Amino acid sequence: MDYNFDEIVPRRGTRSYKWDSAADADVLPMWVADMDFRTLPAIVETLQRRVAHGIFGYTKVPDAYYEAIVNWFSARHGWTMNREWIIYTIGVVPAVSAIIKAMTQPGDQVIVQTPVYNCFFSSIRNNGCEIVSSPLVRKDDTYAVDFDDLEAKASSPKAKVFLLCNPHNPAGRVWTPEELRRMGDICIRHGVFIISDEIHCELIQPGYAYTPFASLGGEYVKHSSVCISPSKAFNIAGLQIANIVTADEEIRKKIDRAINVNEVCDVNPFGVEALIAAYSEEGSEWLKQLNAYIAGNYRYMQAFCKEHLPEFPLIKLEGTYLAWMDCSALGMKSEELEEELVGKAKLWLNAGTMYGAEGEGFMRWNLACPRKNVEEGLNRFLRFVNGRRS
């Protein structure tokens, strides 16, 4: 079956956080990370059947739920997990927060690799911990890990957790097995627990391959928890479903306790049904076509920028659907640029500083939308740039 990702699905007026947050209805939103594509038809059909039942009480998560997760990651990513390792919860951010609570005490340090997903910062602060940045190093059109700096930060007696983003948002990196091992070796050597946020794991560009951190096995799986969800890839974030995968039984008990303390232990029936439908053969084919379409959007953006915006280099996109553009040529602060683009160009992008000080001068673009919207967004940006050039 062929899926139509060119379809324009009107979202304004649907209480969409992405589309209905701007006061001006003419603003084109290419900011927050949800997609403008309809989800997998099998998910819609499953939810329609569930709605038709008409009763939405407390949900018992069935065996089919665990089987879907285990079978999906085994077949698709070569990662064999035990169903006992899985703890369900309402989202990856609550999952990360609960693991931090389980593995730290207030005042402990949590290491992140900036620029990085902004909710990492709030999850760390909300647990009374100190944010320690080990910044990624820009190398031409990509980023690399500063292993010496990570070693130095991990060696602190106060460092208890390394919060990894795999694939990395917003830098677009899909970490290789070798990079993951080196990061893991540093953390294990210094007794630092690894939390790997892998919510973007299905959104991979051609020529790259996602490696689940825990699939490295051995000591790596013993010293880590992996957070996964179908929400980003299948555009079902509002259904609030995610999973924590932890092999060590004692650590898993601590995390389960933290999930309950944080009151994020009950999931809704729609999230459960949607996950089972997503992790299927049809879901795999839908993702194949989705990733090909997003890759086409990225190639279009590359060609457009090369021709019209050569002074605005793009960081190479390996994973996620989020393009990271260097806008320092404008000589504006990222937050100022975000505000002016909304007000003058009717284009909403994310300011790079949302992801840490290392994001200054950058803007993040959401390419998970019909090609027509990508074209329109880039033309609005070009008109804005040309206005400042003249």
Side-chain angles (χ1 to χ4, degrees), residues 302-317:
Q302 284 180 304
F304 186 98
C305 291
K306 183 177 180 180
E307 180 177 355
H308 301 292
L309 297 162
E311 68 271 49
F312 294 84
L314 296 174
I315 295 298
K316 185 191 303 179
L317 187 64

Side-chain angles (χ1 to χ4, degrees), residues 7 27 65 68 73 124 136 165 182 185 209 214 227 248 297 299 309 339 356 381 388:
E7 179 187 6
V27 170
Y65 178 90
F73 279 88
I124 296 167
L136 297 175
C165 199
R182 287 189 68 182
D185 289 341
C227 302
D248 185 278
N297 279 352
R299 288 193 300 271
L309 297 162
E339 184 177 347
F381 186 81
R388 291 186 61 87

Side-chain angles (χ1 to χ4, degrees), residues 102-157:
M103 302 306 295
T104 66
Q105 296 293 326
D108 286 343
Q109 294 178 343
V110 177
I111 303 168
V112 296
Q113 294 172 304
T114 48
V116 75
Y117 179 45
N118 53 295
C119 287
F120 280 12
F121 305 129
S122 56
S123 291
I124 296 167
R125 286 193 298 265
N126 289 344
N127 281 288
C129 293
E130 178 187 349
I131 300 165
V132 174
S133 175
S134 178
L136 297 175
V137 179
R138 182 177 175 183
K139 293 189 174 181
D140 298 323
D141 65 347
T142 191
Y143 283 91
V145 177
D146 186 336
F147 291 104
D148 291 337
D149 184 72
L150 179 60
E151 181 97 47
K153 302 292 174 55
S155 67
S156 168

Side-chain angles (χ1 to χ4, degrees), residues 175-230:
W175 304 117
T176 66
E178 292 74 24
E179 288 171 316
L180 293 172
R181 287 191 189 94
R182 287 189 68 182
M183 288 187 273
D185 289 341
I186 288 171
C187 292
I188 293 167
R189 186 157 54 245
H190 296 289
V192 174
F193 190 76
I194 301 118
I195 304 173
S196 189
D197 173 356
E198 303 191 355
I199 195 171
H200 290 273
C201 67
E202 307 298 345
L203 300 160
I204 306 299
Q205 290 283 298
Y208 297 93
Y210 151 71
T211 302
F213 183 85
S215 71
L216 300 176
E219 293 299 305
Y220 305 106
V221 71
K222 294 178 183 178
H223 291 85
S224 65
S225 285
V226 173
C227 302
I228 52 176
S229 172

